[in-house]
Amino acid sequence: MEEYTLTVTNPLGIHARPAGRLVKLAKAYHSTIELSRGDKTVDVKHILAVMGLGIRQGDTIRFTVSGDDEHETMEQVKEICKEIL
């Protein structure tokens, strides 16, 4: 299992477009990607769950990846986060 924690700098937080990119990424890999904000954790394969976290600029979030391709998956998560968050 790999974890990645970051603070969201995007002024719009995670809205539909970034959430859609994360979901697309999650569906492309075998590993499970979970996203946490505070005490709530969701599966990134579900766009409404991701958007339901209400992530805004300044929030600290955590990605947790587990599975047979977790290292490669986490590298892609980090790349997308640099672009969208």
Side-chain angles (χ1 to χ4, degrees):
M1 180 171 69
E2 295 193 24
E3 291 188 8
Y4 176 53
T5 302
L6 72 141
T7 300
V8 177
T9 57
N10 184 329
L12 301 175
I14 295 184
H15 53 90
R17 189 171 297 132
R21 289 193 60 194
L22 290 169
V23 169
K24 185 176 179 180
L25 170 74
K27 290 182 177 183
Y29 290 92
H30 295 282
S31 292
T32 300
I33 305 173
E34 293 181 331
L35 174 59
S36 302
R37 176 180 167 248
D39 61 348
K40 295 182 182 179
T41 301
V42 300
D43 183 341
V44 175
K45 289 184 180 176
H46 304 284
I47 192 165
L48 293 178
V50 173
M51 292 178 63
L53 288 175
I55 297 170
R56 297 188 172 124
Q57 183 180 29
D59 287 345
T60 299
I61 58 173
R62 184 180 71 246
F63 288 93
T64 306
V65 179
S66 57
D68 57 338
D69 58 353
E70 65 189 33
H71 181 71
E72 181 182 350
T73 305
M74 183 57 82
E75 291 303 313
Q76 291 301 312
V77 167
K78 289 177 181 178
E79 284 300 314
I80 283 184
C81 286
K82 287 178 188 175
E83 294 174 22
I84 65 174
L85 301 178

